[in-house]
Amino acid sequence: MKILVVGQGGREHAIVWKLSANKQNEIYCAPGNAGISALAKCIEITKIEELANFALKESIDLTIVGPEVYLVNGIVDEFEKSGLTIFGPRKNAAIIEGSKIFAKTLMAKHGIPTANFQVFDDPIPAQKYILRVDRPLVVKADGLAAGKGAIVAKSKQDALKAVDDIMNKKIFGEAGNSVVIEDFLEGREVSVLSFCDGKTIVPMVSSMDYKKAHDSDIGPNTGGMGSVAPCPYYSKEISEYVYHEILLKTVRALEDEGIEYKGVLYAGLMITRDGPKVLEFNCRFGDPETQVILMLLETDLAEILQAVFEGNLSACPVKWSNEKAVCVVLASGGYPDPYKIGFEITGLEKTKDDMVIFHAGTKKANGRILTNGGRVLNICARSHSYKEARNIVYDAIKNIYFENMHYRKDIALNL
Ligand code: AMP
Ligand code: GLY
């Protein structure tokens, strides 16, 4: 099969890696990175129309999209117009990630558990609301903000500043024209990704990512500094509740609104004392959750994704390993704040059988591999225990070097 993967991060490297296990697959990636280029032909195309033209010209059998921006901007609709097979939700369904107001309103209307919230399109009533309530709050820009749009306020002052930053200073641009202000939820976070073909939902193995930049969950939120699968706090009982009360209800709710959901439905959940509640929905694979999830997938990935496209997921058994997988992100010094790129990476060749290095922000130049982004590498291992997988990862990291490299030392610690 000829497959095109769109994106350039660790998530896309993991997808390409999994697809390449089937030697019949011929894989392209747009634009890819240094690691991906060892497994796929990388092409420098980023515009939706040009990607569709490429897929037509090369007779691509299946396209898989990583980043949400493409989905929210309608890449699936554009490909389908040309009769191409593409995995992911259409624009009218990707809005579940593209607009927090849409997602929250849908949940409220259909009784899907989530934090209480208010919506504002004017900063003055938003700030009056903050002054009136006496609970910890989270302020969220309505639109896409590269994973940075949710500001957990430690004080009223913080919340007022968040509204000012988002709505007046427009730190996330147009995404901040409106905000959701919701109650802060306490508990443990879990990422539940699922395959969905519009009717059938097949949850993937659960996972969790480590969002804060530094050990002990200190520092600013990042795209994710590490991940594990399965999530040790996600019991069978909780997973059944989530399947019926969140995943299934959401897909049915969308159907009620005349929207068919096909692709990955990713529920970011907080397991609170009152049960699981939705923090957010994403319309795509998570990063770095996908890295650990795909290490545990035993079924051919392309087969599942094609079954989703064809609306035939119920006939496609999806099997998972019982092992544990751990991923540690090596980031550029300074990330998620501004950082420098272009440093040479050494020590990548010492990979063992039970581990994989997924590249994120890397590029090749004159035979060397250089840093080219905030999150640079994902060091991943799978084993019978979290402890053993963690040991393999941290042993491998001892060999890897680039200037100003920083990473968390507490991923999968004490699990
Ligand atoms: P979101 O983009 O909505 O997923 O938010 C990003 C991160 O902010 C989440 O992964 C949580 O760590 C945190 N967060 C978001 N909403 C809440 C909430 N209501 N209560 C506590 N933490 C939250
Ligand atoms: N790791 C969080 C995300 O992919 O949105």
Side-chain angles (χ1 to χ4, degrees), residues 100 115 138 140 147 149-152 182-186 189 209 211-212 221 270 279-280:
K100 299 238 187 241
V138 182
K140 299 182 174 185
I151 301 177
V152 178
E182 68 179 33
D183 291 357
F184 174 82
L185 297 174
E186 249 175 295
E189 275 189 71
D209 76 346
K211 287 206 167 69
K212 300 284 181 187
N221 263 343
M270 188 70 89
L279 294 177
E280 64 164 347

Side-chain angles (χ1 to χ4, degrees), residues 51-105:
L51 287 164
N53 287 340
F54 174 84
L56 275 175
K57 191 173 97 232
E58 292 295 329
S59 307
I60 297 289
D61 299 301
L62 170 67
T63 297
I64 304 163
V65 185
E68 61 277 14
V69 183
Y70 287 103
L71 296 162
V72 170
N73 288 339
I75 190 170
V76 171
D77 311 57
E78 185 70 27
F79 270 55
E80 284 185 344
K81 249 196 267 165
S82 306
L84 291 158
T85 302
I86 181 164
F87 174 80
R90 294 187 194 115
K91 189 173 181 169
N92 70 348
I95 194 174
I96 200 155
E97 175 165 4
S99 167
K100 299 238 187 241
I101 296 175
F102 174 87
K104 294 290 292 190
T105 310

